[in-house]
Amino acid sequence: MNMKKELNHRLFIQREEQTSHIEYKEEYGYYDNIVAGNLEAVRQRFSDPENEHQYNSPGYGRLSENPIRNTRYHFIVSVALITRLCVENGLERELAYTLSDLYISKMDLLQTTRQILVLHNEMLLDFTQQMAGLPKRQVYSVQVIKAMDYIYKNLNGRLSVTSIAKSLGLNRSYLSYLFHKETGINISQFIHSEKTKAASNMLRFSEYSYSDIASYFGFSSQSHFIKCFRKETGYTPMEYRKRFSLVTSFGNNGQTW
C-alpha cells in the first residue's frame, strides 16, 4: 500500500473508531506551562509510569507497532519540540540542546516503557525548572536588559560594574542604581548568581574538574568558587555533582542511583 492509500485508510479507521489526536489548544496549553516555568501545572500532567500503554491510547499517534519503540519515538518528539520552544523563549541555546541530547542518550539505554516514562517526567520537570529560573526580562528597562545580556555573554570573564558600564556607554553609578532599583540586587550579586547557575550546569552535564570550572568562570581560586557556590546553592560543587549529575546518575538498566 502506497503512502496516499495508507493515509486515507488510516483516516478512515480513525473516523470509524471516532478517535483523533489531542486537540491543538490542549497540547499547546501543556507546552505553554513548560515555557512559563509553571512547575505545578506540569507535575499535574506527568505521565503515569504504571500505564505502559499510554501512547497506544486514542489521542496519541501510533508511531510504531512495537510499544517500547512507540514510546521511544514519542519521547524524542516531545523533547525536540520542548527544546525548540524553550530556546525561542529565552533558554540559552547550547544549554537547551545539550540537555536534549543528554536525555535522548539516557532514554536510548532504557529497556522498559516504564523507565522511559519516568525519565520523560524528569525531562519535563528539568526544562520547566530551567525556564522558571530565567529572569522576567520584560519588566526591565533596555539598559538593564543590555547589562544582563553582556553578563550572560561574558560569564567566563572577570566582570565588573565598571567594565559593564563602559561597554554599554553608561555611567557606572547610574547603571548600579538602575540595576538595583529594577532587580532588587546589585550587579555583583547578579554576576555571582549567574556564574553559579552556569557552573551548576557544567557540574550536571559534564565531567570537567572543579578547578577547571572555577577557572573557566573567572573565580579567583577553587576555594573562592566553593564558597560562592555553597552560598548560592547550599551545596559544595562536589555535593551538587553527586546529587544532581546527569552524566553519572544512571546505572545499570537506566535505574537512577
Side-chain angles (χ1 to χ4, degrees):
M1 187 179 295
N2 64 34
M3 185 61 72
K4 186 175 181 179
K5 288 183 178 179
E6 178 68 24
L7 173 61
N8 289 330
H9 175 71
R10 183 72 66 88
L11 290 171
F12 172 78
I13 295 298
Q14 289 174 185
R15 283 193 295 268
E16 288 295 301
E17 295 179 351
Q18 296 185 332
T19 61
S20 62
H21 289 74
I22 295 171
E23 288 291 333
Y24 177 86
K25 288 183 179 179
E26 181 184 352
E27 181 179 12
Y28 273 83
Y30 165 68
Y31 290 122
D32 283 345
N33 284 322
I34 296 172
V35 169
N38 191 336
L39 294 166
E40 187 54 39
V42 170
R43 285 192 180 98
Q44 291 175 6
R45 294 291 302 274
F46 272 0
S47 301
D48 177 6
E50 303 307 323
N51 181 9
E52 298 190 358
H53 300 290
Q54 174 176 317
Y55 289 116
N56 292 328
S57 62
Y60 294 99
R62 184 175 297 176
L63 306 181
S64 173
E65 296 301 321
N66 181 293
I68 294 179
R69 191 175 296 124
N70 187 49
T71 306
R72 290 188 192 280
Y73 291 159
H74 277 287
F75 184 102
I76 293 169
V77 170
S78 179
V79 73
L81 181 54
I82 289 168
T83 300
R84 282 152 182 78
L85 287 172
C86 289
V87 169
E88 289 173 4
N89 285 273
L91 189 59
E92 198 272 316
R93 180 183 177 87
E94 197 61 29
L95 166 61
Y97 281 100
T98 301
L99 193 57
S100 171
D101 292 346
L102 281 167
Y103 271 109
I104 291 174
S105 296
K106 299 300 181 187
M107 180 275 295
D108 194 47
L109 298 175
L110 303 182
Q111 302 299 317
T112 69
T113 299
R114 185 186 184 282
Q115 291 173 342
I116 297 171
L117 293 175
V118 169
L119 185 65
H120 186 263
N121 290 340
E122 291 181 18
M123 179 273 294
L124 295 178
L125 192 61
D126 206 342
F127 273 98
T128 307
Q129 288 173 328
Q130 294 288 344
M131 296 304 293
L134 292 179
K136 303 298 183 284
R137 294 153 56 104
Q138 65 271 19
V139 303
Y140 301 141
S141 64
V142 172
Q143 293 94 331
V144 170
I145 290 175
K146 286 183 176 180
M148 288 179 172
D149 282 339
Y150 184 86
I151 292 168
Y152 295 143
K153 292 174 183 176
N154 295 277
L155 282 175
N156 61 327
R158 294 292 180 90
L159 291 163
S160 68
V161 181
T162 300
S163 65
I164 297 168
K166 184 178 180 180
S167 72
L168 301 178
L170 296 173
N171 176 274
R172 181 187 184 281
S173 297
Y174 172 71
L175 177 60
S176 295
Y177 164 77
L178 189 65
F179 197 97
H180 187 274
K181 177 184 176 183
E182 295 187 13
T183 67
I185 60 174
N186 62 47
I187 294 179
S188 295
Q189 288 174 310
F190 183 81
I191 290 170
H192 276 120
S193 177
E194 293 306 311
K195 281 180 178 284
T196 301
K197 288 179 185 177
S200 68
N201 286 325
M202 288 190 73
L203 290 168
R204 291 186 67 202
F205 307 136
S206 78
E207 295 180 310
Y208 285 107
S209 69
Y210 307 114
S211 59
D212 284 345
I213 296 173
S215 176
Y216 180 79
F217 288 110
F219 289 94
S220 57
S221 65
Q222 189 170 340
S223 61
H224 182 228
F225 171 50
I226 294 171
K227 180 180 178 181
C228 292
F229 196 89
R230 183 190 283 127
K231 183 178 179 181
E232 286 288 331
T233 68
Y235 299 97
T236 66
M238 182 181 292
E239 290 168 343
Y240 189 90
R241 172 169 273 170
K242 285 181 178 179
R243 186 177 180 88
F244 300 110
S245 175
L246 280 180
V247 175
T248 59
S249 64
F250 285 81
N252 293 333
N253 299 320
Q255 296 295 326
T256 54
W257 292 358

